Amino acid sequence: MKSKSQSLLPWFNVSFYLGVTLSMLTGGFLIFEIVNNGNWFVESLLGQFGLGLLLIYFSGKPMIDERIRLLKFKGLAIGFVITCFSATIVNYIITYPDGNQKNGISSYWFVLICLLIAFISFGILKTRE
């Protein structure tokens, strides 16, 4: 008997390639912005890069292995907690004198840092367990 998750298999295989493509394109556009305009801080490109990383992170077969599912969740949770605390402290330091908190870390940076830490945490957890 086939499970309902069989229909999701093509999406999970496609999401890896879509994530790699999106990450490579936005990485190229970020390099283009740095070279041509000297601007490395383009919010929309950083957000799209984070989305590409998210697609890569959750790609693969639909969580057949419970161990991998748990490790991906742990990695994402560790990344979220570390990023929450560090981003709050950094935002406070950057915007301390300003009551309106201008020029702080955006949500795009938050997502990008969270996913990078999640990838690293998942790799470490996978080798340890």
Side-chain angles (χ1 to χ4, degrees), residues 55-73:
L55 287 171
I56 292 170
Y57 190 74
F58 287 112
S59 65
K61 293 184 181 173
M63 304 300 174
I64 294 172
D65 188 4
E66 290 292 326
R67 178 180 160 267
I68 297 297
R69 176 192 284 183
L70 180 65
L71 293 179
K72 281 190 175 187
F73 174 73

Side-chain angles (χ1 to χ4, degrees), residues 19-118:
V20 168
T21 304
L22 190 59
S23 297
M24 287 177 56
L25 281 174
T26 54
F29 289 141
L30 280 170
I31 292 171
F32 177 77
E33 283 290 326
I34 293 168
V35 171
N36 283 352
N37 301 326
N39 184 15
W40 63 273
F41 193 74
V42 180
E43 292 286 336
S44 59
L45 291 178
L46 291 173
Q48 293 302 311
F49 189 72
L51 181 62
L53 289 179
L54 186 67
L55 287 171
I56 292 170
Y57 190 74
F58 287 112
S59 65
K61 293 184 181 173
M63 304 300 174
I64 294 172
D65 188 4
E66 290 292 326
R67 178 180 160 267
I68 297 297
R69 176 192 284 183
L70 180 65
L71 293 179
K72 281 190 175 187
F73 174 73
K74 280 184 181 179
L76 194 58
I78 289 169
F80 183 77
V81 169
I82 290 172
T83 307
C84 267
F85 286 121
S86 60
T88 302
I89 292 168
V90 170
N91 265 341
Y92 180 73
I93 292 170
I94 290 172
T95 62
Y96 171 66
D98 184 16
N100 295 325
Q101 295 189 344
K102 294 179 185 172
N103 300 324
I105 296 175
S106 71
S107 58
Y108 291 129
W109 273 105
F110 181 85
V111 168
L112 188 62
I113 293 168
C114 180
L115 285 169
L116 288 174
I117 293 173

Side-chain angles (χ1 to χ4, degrees), residues 6-24:
Q6 292 293 329
S7 63
L8 292 175
L9 279 172
W11 163 247
F12 283 101
N13 291 333
V14 169
S15 69
F16 174 77
Y17 297 112
L18 186 62
V20 168
T21 304
L22 190 59
S23 297
M24 287 177 56

